[in-house]
Amino acid sequence: MKIYVESDVEQGKAGVSRIAVIGYGSQGRAHALNLRDSGIDVTVGLRPGGPSWQRAEADGIKVAPPARAAAGADIVAILVPDMAAPRVWRDIESSVKPGAAILFAHGFNIHYGSIQAPDSIDVILVAPKGPGALVRRQYEEGRGVPCLMAVAQDATGRAKARALAYAHGIGGTRGGVLETTFAEETETDLFGEQAVLCGGVTELVTQGFETLVEAGYQPEVAYFECMHELKLIVDLLHEGGLAKMHQFVSDTAKYGDLTRGPRVVDESTRERMRTVLKEIQDGTFAREWRAEYEAGMPRYKAMMAADMAHPIEQVGRELRARMSWLRTEQQDAA
Ligand code: NDP
Ligand code: MG
């Protein structure tokens, strides 16, 4: 697989001098500030009176309502929550000039057809593989978070050059830019967060906690084992894969891992992972989530409230309050 770096960027060919960034949240703020510091003329598009407006002004960046920001821009980056994006698109569609590009950090709305772009514009994706705060901090330190890039529609013949120029402007070429498709980015991103990163891990943690508590062990001890210590393991995996984790845990832990792990997460789990993936691929998940969002998210809110009321959360709050160093780590991550 080719990894694009700084020397692959053709600034002239990209023809990018003005960029509108719609949304100033996790990704929007990081992209806007990095692009500005890379010498690009950036206007942030926000709803007047919304919480982000003041923040963008305080950062000294130009702010305008979304349609005004989009007018005349070479690239319009739509960095609002995925469920809010179709409405934002309706507001700005007529202001995006023919020959411009619209850009996303996640392929969801294009891939599932909830945003349909006219034939006269490029549709591109630049997705940093990290939260906005990291994208900003790495840039400030002269480094960059690796990005995925993709082209869904190339109206101008310059779509890829533009995606690369944008990735370069946010620092992505320092970390390396990998080419993908909207389908691959969207489906793997959803699968990862559902089966492994968010859904899979939280179920593993809470069910492990429940199993210990149900067997009569103290919730505080169960919390340390099943939630707190996860970070130590994840850090090792992140830094050096399975090999580094194995280097740092005991032989007993390794033997337990090799013999018991595959019994907890087994072939039947993989079968259900395949079903979850199929629901992503055939659009079932996207339709379900869109309908839930349009209905005011009643099931989402009820399930979230139940998760927040789980005993692991109560025990966790008390224990974390005694570990003062966690507060700075959380701020770093935010
Ligand atoms: P956020 O939730 O942080 O975006 C919030 C911003 O969107 C705020 O500026 C808010 O403005 C604005 N906004 C929210 N609702 C609306 C609305 N209805 N109309 C207009 N503006 C609105 O989003 P993220 O940065 O998390 O996500 C943006 C994109 O990046 C998504 O496509 C996401 O999938 C993708 N992405 C996110 C990553 C992450 O780490 N978070 C990682 C990689 C990709 P206001 O203050 O006025 O409400
Ligand atoms: Mg869960």
Side-chain angles (χ1 to χ4, degrees), residues 208-244:
F209 173 87
E210 285 168 7
T211 303
L212 287 176
V213 171
E214 179 187 274
Y217 300 101
Q218 299 179 74
E220 291 79 4
V221 175
Y223 175 87
F224 276 119
E225 280 310 319
C226 298
M227 177 88 98
H228 181 77
E229 288 189 24
L230 184 63
K231 176 167 164 51
L232 310 175
I233 299 302
V234 168
D235 282 351
L236 294 170
L237 292 172
H238 186 76
E239 288 161 16
L242 300 179
K244 183 157 186 186

Side-chain angles (χ1 to χ4, degrees), residues 194 198-204 206 303 307:
Q194 292 176 19
C198 306
V201 164
T202 58
E203 280 314 305
L204 206 56
T206 50
M303 289 184 291
D307 249 22

Side-chain angles (χ1 to χ4, degrees), residues 103-116:
L103 178 145
F104 297 87
H106 179 35
F108 193 97
N109 284 295
I110 295 296
H111 183 56
Y112 293 115
S114 30
I115 290 180
Q116 275 153 2

Side-chain angles (χ1 to χ4, degrees), residues 309-328:
H310 192 283
I312 200 170
E313 284 296 280
Q314 291 162 22
V315 174
R317 259 192 302 279
E318 286 156 25
L319 291 176
R320 288 192 297 268
R322 311 186 70 84
M323 296 184 272
S324 55
W325 67 88
L326 292 182
R327 282 190 282 279
T328 51

